[in-house]
């Protein structure tokens, strides 16, 4: 979990030093600023859990700083406690809340009050941060599950399910635009021998290697997937003539014959390729 950060803002350095001393045992990183501008700069750089903000400061006062923080998208959720020597007149209190503060601490600062209020807000921040991390973790796991449902885990190529969805889209698009495409079914010849003689670890390494070789041979708008085992399917879009297909098939045969080395063993196989054209077939 990220460690909370507290920003202490006061134009008098002895005041910030005093508050740092009072908060020395708090489980948070402490930052100090001695002007409104410095406070805003630090707030945009760091994700603070709490801001302890002096009201009376030369230049930009605490009200202006609080207003900016509460209106800015990146900082509007940060709680602000005004630390002030001003009297407790109702108009001052209302002005503070209107500018974005959630509480007040009056000078001279009582150590017990300061620690009590700071610890309350830190517990709330820890709760929120925990929930956000759990939510982010859940979204990441959901993203991983979706990726694995659409891709082959070994080669990271789209899987059979994704191919069928992509093929349906390709057929619909080709039908509407009166274009054609080619579907190539590739079956590796001799792959079983790799598993039988060198083991499945070698076979898996070769499949990863050959999938990368096939990727190199297709264009950005083409599609390659692992259909299962040692079978791959490639969709070649926008085919101008059959010579284009023949040339691409020759390139894929050459790619499949690329030499792969596994623990000093030289591996080279061939591939059988079947071709279907849309809309002819």
């Amino acid at each position: 979990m990220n460690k909370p950060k507290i920003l202490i803002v006061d134009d008098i350095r002895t005041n910030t030093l005093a508050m740092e001393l009072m908060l020395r045992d708090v489980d948070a990183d402490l930052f100090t600023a001695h002007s409104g501008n410095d406070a805003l700069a630090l707030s945009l750089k760091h994700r603070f859990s709490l801001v302890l903000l002096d009201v009376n400061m030369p230049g930009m006062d605490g009200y202006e700083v609080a207003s900016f923080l509460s209106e800015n998208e990146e900082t509007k959720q940060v709680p602000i406690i005004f630390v002030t020597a001003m009297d407790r007149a109702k108009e001052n209190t209302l002005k503070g809340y209107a500018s974005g503060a959630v509480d007040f601490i009056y000078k001279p600062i009582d150590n017990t009050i300061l620690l009590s209020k700071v610890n309350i807000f830190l517990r709330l921040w820890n709760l929120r941060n925990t929930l956000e991390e759990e939510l982010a973790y859940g979204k990441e796991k959901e993203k991983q599950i979706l990726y694995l449902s659409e891709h082959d885990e070994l080669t990271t190529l789209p899987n059979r399910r994704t191919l069928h969805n992509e093929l349906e889209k390709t057929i619909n698009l080709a039908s509407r635009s009166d274009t054609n495409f080619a579907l190539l079914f590739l079956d590796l010849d001799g792959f079983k021998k790799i598993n039988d003689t060198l083991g499945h670890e070698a076979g898996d390494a070769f499949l990863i290697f050959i999938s990368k070789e096939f990727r190199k041979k297709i264009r950005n708008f083409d599609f390659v997937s692992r259909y299962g085992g040692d079978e791959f399917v490639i969709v070649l879009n926008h085919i101008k003539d059959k010579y284009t297909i023949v040339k691409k098939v020759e390139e894929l045969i050459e790619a499949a014959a690329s030499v792969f080395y596994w623990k000093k063993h030289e591996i080279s196989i061939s591939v059988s390729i079947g071709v279907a054209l849309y809309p002819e077939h």
Side-chain angles (χ1 to χ4, degrees):
M1 181 181 291
N2 297 324
K3 195 172 183 180
K5 298 177 181 180
I6 299 174
L7 175 61
I8 303 169
V9 186
D10 198 304
D11 62 304
I12 301 174
R13 294 180 183 272
T14 53
N15 289 343
T16 57
L17 288 172
M19 279 192 280
E20 284 183 288
L21 186 61
M22 293 180 190
L23 299 173
R24 64 186 181 278
D25 294 327
V26 171
D27 187 22
D29 291 328
L30 303 179
F31 294 74
T32 59
H34 300 102
S35 71
N37 288 327
D38 288 344
L40 294 180
L42 283 170
S43 296
L44 294 175
K45 185 177 180 181
H46 299 277
R47 185 191 177 200
F48 288 114
S49 313
L50 177 65
V51 177
L52 300 172
L53 180 60
D54 185 27
V55 176
N56 290 323
M57 295 186 294
M60 184 182 294
D61 64 18
Y63 296 126
E64 293 176 280
V65 174
S67 294
F68 180 89
L69 293 178
S70 61
E71 292 171 3
N72 184 275
E73 192 65 31
E74 296 179 18
T75 57
K76 66 180 183 180
Q77 301 299 332
V78 181
I80 300 168
I81 298 178
F82 273 140
V83 182
T84 179
M86 296 176 64
D87 61 58
R88 305 189 186 196
K90 184 177 180 180
E91 58 268 22
N92 292 334
T93 303
L94 292 177
K95 186 176 181 181
Y97 286 126
S99 65
V102 296
D103 206 348
F104 281 82
I105 294 176
Y106 292 94
K107 298 176 182 179
I109 299 172
D110 183 286
N111 189 49
T112 302
I113 293 175
L114 176 66
L115 287 174
S116 177
K117 293 191 175 186
V118 166
N119 284 324
I120 287 172
F121 282 105
L122 289 185
R123 283 198 292 271
L124 291 172
W125 181 88
N126 283 324
L127 176 61
R128 178 187 171 190
N129 194 58
T130 299
L131 292 173
E132 287 179 348
E133 288 183 352
E134 290 178 354
L135 181 61
Y137 177 77
K139 287 183 177 180
E140 182 60 30
K141 294 300 292 184
E142 184 179 335
K143 185 179 178 181
Q144 291 176 7
I145 291 171
L146 178 61
Y147 181 86
L148 290 175
S149 72
E150 297 177 340
H151 292 80
D152 172 55
E153 189 173 1
L154 178 65
T155 64
T156 71
L157 289 175
N159 58 18
R160 181 185 301 201
R161 174 189 174 188
T162 305
L163 168 69
H164 289 169
N165 292 335
E166 183 69 21
L167 193 55
E168 185 176 345
K169 294 177 186 176
T170 303
I171 290 172
N172 290 335
L173 179 61
S175 177
R176 291 197 306 269
S177 59
D178 196 25
T179 56
N180 56 13
F181 67 89
L183 184 72
L184 278 57
F185 193 96
L186 294 78
D187 189 6
L188 302 180
D189 301 324
F191 176 74
K192 185 176 182 296
K193 185 178 178 181
I194 298 175
N195 283 334
D196 292 342
T197 57
L198 300 177
H200 288 281
E201 188 180 356
D204 287 349
F206 180 77
L207 286 173
I208 294 171
F209 165 77
I210 208 66
S211 67
K212 291 178 180 177
E213 294 300 308
F214 288 156
R215 271 178 174 148
K216 294 176 186 177
K217 299 300 179 181
I218 65 170
R219 301 161 297 180
N220 292 336
F221 49 83
D222 294 330
F223 184 84
V224 57
S225 68
R226 184 185 178 196
Y227 200 69
D230 59 353
E231 299 170 339
F232 296 81
V233 173
I234 293 176
V235 178
L236 300 177
N237 290 298
H238 307 297
I239 299 300
K240 293 181 180 179
D241 51 50
K242 292 183 180 180
Y243 171 76
T244 304
I245 302 173
V246 172
K247 185 174 183 299
K248 188 58 63 177
V249 167
E250 290 174 347
E251 291 177 359
L252 292 168
I253 291 172
E254 183 181 346
S258 301
V259 177
F260 175 68
Y261 293 94
W262 172 258
K263 297 181 179 179
K264 298 182 180 179
H265 294 280
E266 185 178 298
I267 302 174
S268 180
I269 64 171
S270 58
V271 64
S272 298
I273 303 177
V275 181
L277 305 180
Y278 180 88
E280 292 178 44
H281 305 141

